[in-house]
Amino acid sequence: MTIKMDVILPGATLGVMGGGQLGRMFVHAAQAMGYRTAVLDADATSPAGLVSHEHIQTAYLDEAGLTRLAQVSAAITTEFENVPAQALDKLAETRPVAPAGSAVAICQDRAREKAHFVACGVDCAPHALIETPEQLAAISDDLLPGILKTARLGYDGKGQIRVKTRDELIAGWDELNRVGCVLEKMLPLAYEVSVIVARGRDGQVVHFPLQQNLHRDGILAVTTVPAPNVTEAVSQQAYASAHKIAASMNYVGVLCIEFFVLADGRIVANEMAPRPHNSGHHTIDACDVSQFELQVRAMTGLPLVEPVLHSPCLMLNLLGDLWFPGDATTQQEPDWAAVLALSGTHLHLYGKTEARKARKMGHLTVTGATPAAAREVALKAAAILGIAPF
Ligand code: ATP
Ligand code: MG
């Protein structure tokens, strides 16, 4: 295969906007391949900043910070979808930025995101935009019960209120300070899946095998691959939709699309993330190439390959709650030694010193020879850690 002229080779520095755990795992992948890294994040103890060659400690829109990041980086990516799209546009004046600010801007706004799904011929939940009291008053009863979601800046179930009646809807919009929202009809979910694709500068798209995701309190709790409940028809439709959505944004990098599978077998797109995703963390230990490595390959112009799942697996999110067993008032370290005594367990902690409830502190991937074997060990690990059975 001939490598394109403008490929950015190992030895160069790759820049990342955002210093969270996704940035940290990206930095690990980039460094393993011989790249240097620069992370821009204001937090002196950010998970990615702690492991990067360079850590630029400024706000996302700080002129000097952005100038420095552009100066040292051969190409730049983002690990956080709420990085202001203007910051990415500014960087793109002098450096290749993947994904582009224009694609991130679509993903940052639930209304634009849903419009994009529809434009691609991909179904999403019935919904309506609420930006004014008139729009609120005009909401059709068909959308209730529903979930009121802020159009911007929501994650892990934050910025969402479940509303059964019109009165609850009115009170809910007040509670969300009357910011721009999307009201989505509550759908009868059979289960949830996600697809992670990577698209190169040349338009080639590859995808990981579909993941099945269990959420608890709006936060991802468990990912299982291969997805136990999916039919061939559902997975083919999800792959085709994800490819179409990526291509239509002229996307470069890793993109995750979350889907709901309904009780009647229909599949609807929920939301997308313009970056590696929590439901793809298992790819580090269970696939021959991880989602983070594919992000490196896509942004540098290196070849993409169709990833292969070499081991059935489950991924358990390790939330800060686990550091407070029972009703402990002081933080206690979970019994990692007991978990690591189980074969097939792969522990990832993000270097966050302060555990808080619902804070993502790390994840545990369990690989096994068969799906049943992986599940059995994952349930044992969950019992040790105080995670409810699944
Ligand atoms: P993320 O951390 O994935 O960005 P988020 O805060 O953006 O999460 P959503 O993905 O919109 O939130 O919703 C979180 C979860 O709430 C979904 O995975 C699903 O379990 C449930 N949910 C959301 N919308 C609906 C709906 N319309 N009908 C039924 N369940 C829903
Ligand atoms: Mg979600």
Side-chain angles (χ1 to χ4, degrees):
M1 151 152 224
T2 48
I3 288 184
K4 286 193 309 189
M5 289 298 288
D6 61 347
V7 67
I8 297 164
L9 290 169
T13 298
L14 303 181
V16 195
M17 289 293 278
Q21 60 266 18
L22 298 167
R24 179 181 175 99
M25 290 181 269
F26 169 85
V27 163
H28 286 154
Q31 292 179 345
M33 294 171 79
Y35 290 95
R36 296 176 57 83
T37 58
V39 165
L40 187 147
D41 190 299
D43 178 1
T45 62
S46 73
L50 289 175
V51 297
S52 180
H53 289 91
E54 178 162 350
H55 179 187
I56 301 163
Q57 289 175 34
T58 68
Y60 295 132
L61 284 169
D62 184 271
E63 284 277 331
L66 291 173
T67 302
R68 174 73 191 162
L69 185 66
Q71 232 168 33
V72 299
S73 307
I76 297 158
T77 188
T78 179
E79 64 103 44
F80 177 56
E81 76 245 43
N82 290 321
V83 163
Q86 314 88 286
L88 299 178
D89 292 342
K90 165 99 187 125
L91 292 166
E93 287 169 11
T94 56
R95 287 288 181 263
V97 173
S102 56
V104 174
I106 295 173
C107 304
Q108 281 174 346
D109 184 317
R110 285 189 196 277
R112 289 192 66 188
E113 183 173 72
K114 285 183 161 46
H116 189 77
F117 291 151
V118 172
C120 291
V122 175
D123 287 342
C124 55
H127 64 280
L129 193 60
I130 302 179
E131 285 175 325
T132 65
E134 291 72 30
Q135 285 173 322
L136 178 71
I139 289 296
S140 149
D141 285 337
D142 290 350
L143 292 180
L144 294 171
I147 307 190
L148 186 64
K149 303 181 178 182
T150 59
R152 303 177 68 87
L153 301 174
Y155 70 99
D156 288 350
K158 295 192 177 79
Q160 296 196 5
I161 299 181
R162 295 181 178 217
V163 292
K164 289 202 199 68
T165 62
R166 196 164 283 276
D167 284 346
E168 286 182 10
L169 172 63
I170 293 166
W173 196 45
D174 279 342
E175 201 176 312
L176 295 172
N177 297 318
R178 300 186 167 217
V179 295
C181 282
V182 170
L183 175 69
E184 260 178 59
K185 187 178 174 67
M186 180 73 87
L187 298 174
L189 309 189
Y191 56 94
E192 297 184 60
V193 297
S194 58
V195 173
I196 295 170
V197 300
R199 186 169 182 278
R201 296 187 208 156
D202 59 358
Q204 187 197 356
V205 186
V206 298
H207 63 256
F208 287 94
L210 189 110
Q211 297 91 224
Q212 187 164 326
N213 303 318
L214 170 70
H215 292 82
R216 288 178 171 157
D217 299 325
I219 306 176
L220 181 64
V222 182
T223 292
T224 307
V225 198
N229 294 107
V230 290
T231 59
E232 187 60 19
V234 162
S235 52
Q236 288 312 323
Q237 199 185 333
Y239 294 142
S241 299
H243 280 237
K244 213 180 318 169
I245 290 163
S248 64
M249 293 191 287
N250 201 17
Y251 195 87
V252 178
V254 168
L255 175 74
C256 177
I257 324 269
E258 295 177 31
F259 295 93
F260 298 144
V261 183
L262 307 186
D264 64 7
R266 276 187 308 135
I267 161 168
V268 301
N270 171 28
E271 60 171 0
M272 57 182 169
R275 49 168 173 77
H277 191 258
N278 195 170
S279 65
H281 289 356
H282 67 283
T283 62
I284 297 173
D285 300 302
C287 293
D288 61 346
V289 51
S290 76
Q291 61 170 348
F292 302 101
E293 179 173 340
L294 284 186
Q295 182 80 334
V296 172
R297 290 179 181 226
M299 72 188 285
T300 56
L302 284 170
L304 300 180
V305 286
E306 205 65 62
V308 175
L309 180 82
H310 56 67
S311 304
C313 67
L314 289 88
M315 187 283 310
L316 311 183
N317 258 345
L318 304 173
L319 301 182
D321 310 55
L322 306 182
W323 275 248
F324 299 92
D327 272 327
T329 47
T330 54
Q331 185 171 325
Q332 296 171 25
E333 203 61 18
D335 189 354
W336 304 127
V339 169
L340 291 171
L342 302 169
S343 73
T345 55
H346 312 269
L347 178 64
H348 298 259
L349 292 171
Y350 308 144
K352 300 178 185 179
T353 47
E354 192 199 341
R356 288 193 299 267
K357 301 222 159 180
R359 187 177 198 201
K360 290 175 179 168
M361 301 296 288
H363 69 270
L364 184 79
T365 300
V366 181
T367 52
T370 62
R375 187 177 159 76
E376 194 183 319
V377 174
L379 283 167
K380 283 187 189 155
I384 292 167
L385 292 168
I387 298 173
F390 33 84

